[in-house]
Amino acid sequence: MTTIRHGQSDQAWVGAAERVHPEDTAQVAAILADAHRRGLAVVPTGAGTKLTWGTPPRRCDILLDLSRLTEVVEHGVGEYVVVAGAGLRLSTLQTRLAEVGQQLALDPARDGTLGGIVATGDNGPARLLYGAPRDLVIGATMVRADGVIAKSGGKVVKNVAGYDLGKLLTGSYGTLAVLTTLAFRLHPVPQARRWISVAETDPRRLAELSQALIHSTVVPAALEVTRAVPSGPAGTRSGELAVCVVGVEAGVAGCAQEAARLLGSTARLADEPPPWWRATPGAPGEPLVKLTFPLSRIEAALAAVDAAAADAGVAVAVRASTGVGVAWVEAPGAEPEQVVRLVRRMRDAATAYEGGVVLLDGPAAAKAGVDVWGPVHGLELMRAVKDRFDPAGVLAPGRFVGGI
């Protein structure tokens, strides 16, 4: 039995486990049933792009690699629904869907598998218009910790039976059940897209521009901010706000002009996104903090990052989806003690504006020095759900909030 030492690197525990490669749901069920009988801990994975996110599990005897579950089971072109294996990469599916003018409206920075994206609740700029992963999942086949196969939802958008179970598993980091097949609602690929951007670094001005766009007739499909914050007052700040509008050509042209008017005379219009759009949020194992905030507190959230970076003495790069209240903060090269200080200072400030701060990735020493997930509302209810789904603690024990 593989026990994870406190502070052991994420990469070390991955290498210590036995990796198995099931071919279908039945094999996943057999593996879990056997692990359940033998008291072995199982951690599901796909492409491995987010395997270092969260807390390292307390134990990992079997790394359940789902990368061979790649079948497109069904594509209802007329119904705008697709059913596919959890191990299928998002980019592979998007290529196939694009052939008929459709898309799965998910665009996380890392090209992971469908199961991994849903299990971590990962998302990108498109969330503003299309919603988060939990909004696009309409059905799922899953395997419980004891090896029993279960199904939730359906494969038509109007079929709402079992919706909540699929939503429950979204963002659970593989601690409740193993997803093997997923059904998604699809959207048409827009006829036209435009990006309108403006250089800006000041948190107050970025908040004002974001609010102006959110409450305008532009109806942005995505609203993103990038900022580079130096470690001290002597450094040079840089920043940019970009808004994307989509739709039919005539409508997009009008919305783009209105967005440019709101952003001012220095706004730039382009047919392609800026280079930093959907930029990968750091390499695996590098410090990565996820910040959430109310839309009314954009300025407070961005200013808090500045203050925390200065206090910790680290330079950070920020990518914020100011239309949905999420920001990713990278601190490349920061020492573990600096990462811990950065997280603590951000968390202290977030209390005032009801935000959340998660140390999503980083050195093992940093994760050992601070609560990765931070305070979580409803933790006792979440523990009760874990106990009902996985009373023996087979699935990724300790990886999620509160040691779940």
Side-chain angles (χ1 to χ4, degrees), residues 1-62:
M1 186 174 294
T2 304
T3 301
I4 312 303
R5 300 188 305 274
H6 188 62
Q8 181 178 349
S9 75
D10 294 343
Q11 291 79 4
W13 74 258
V14 170
E18 177 188 0
R19 185 183 289 260
V20 296
H21 300 81
E23 302 281 349
D24 54 29
T25 298
Q27 290 187 11
V28 172
I31 292 167
L32 286 176
D34 181 64
H36 189 264
R37 285 192 299 269
R38 297 166 60 194
L40 302 179
V42 180
V43 176
T45 185
T49 58
K50 294 173 281 292
L51 195 54
T52 58
W53 285 12
T55 309
R58 287 189 298 272
R59 297 187 295 122
C60 180
D61 303 297
I62 298 173

Side-chain angles (χ1 to χ4, degrees), residues 190-321:
Q191 294 179 17
R193 291 185 177 95
R194 295 287 189 283
W195 282 264
I196 309 91
S197 57
V198 65
E200 184 56 68
T201 61
D202 181 62
R204 175 174 296 181
R205 185 60 180 154
L206 287 168
E208 291 172 349
L209 293 174
S210 296
Q211 289 290 345
L213 288 164
I214 291 169
H215 297 291
S216 72
T217 59
V218 170
V219 190
L223 181 56
E224 299 287 297
V225 165
T226 184
R227 302 181 73 232
V229 181
S231 58
T236 302
R237 282 175 167 78
S238 63
E240 188 173 29
L241 179 149
V243 56
C244 176
V245 292
V246 303
V248 298
E249 184 62 49
V252 166
C255 288
Q257 290 298 324
E258 175 61 11
R261 184 189 69 80
L262 291 171
L263 294 182
S265 59
T266 59
R268 303 177 300 278
L269 279 73
D271 295 330
E272 298 293 333
W276 52 266
W277 193 266
R278 289 185 61 231
T280 302
E286 286 293 314
L288 177 64
V289 181
K290 184 178 181 180
L291 173 65
T292 55
F293 50 89
L295 297 188
S296 60
R297 305 305 302 275
I298 297 170
E299 179 186 353
L302 295 178
V305 174
D306 290 9
D311 184 72
V314 295
V316 299
V318 183
R319 196 194 76 223
S321 297

Side-chain angles (χ1 to χ4, degrees), residues 287 289 311-312 314 334-347 359 363-371:
V289 181
D311 184 72
V314 295
E335 296 296 326
E337 60 272 17
Q338 291 177 306
V339 177
V340 170
R341 189 172 183 87
L342 176 72
V343 171
R344 287 176 175 168
R345 293 298 176 268
M346 288 176 62
R347 221 166 250 170
L359 177 57
K367 288 186 176 182
V370 68
D371 181 355

Side-chain angles (χ1 to χ4, degrees), residues 358-378:
V358 175
L359 177 57
L360 208 54
D361 206 349
K367 288 186 176 182
V370 68
D371 181 355
V372 167
W373 298 100
V376 178
H377 297 295

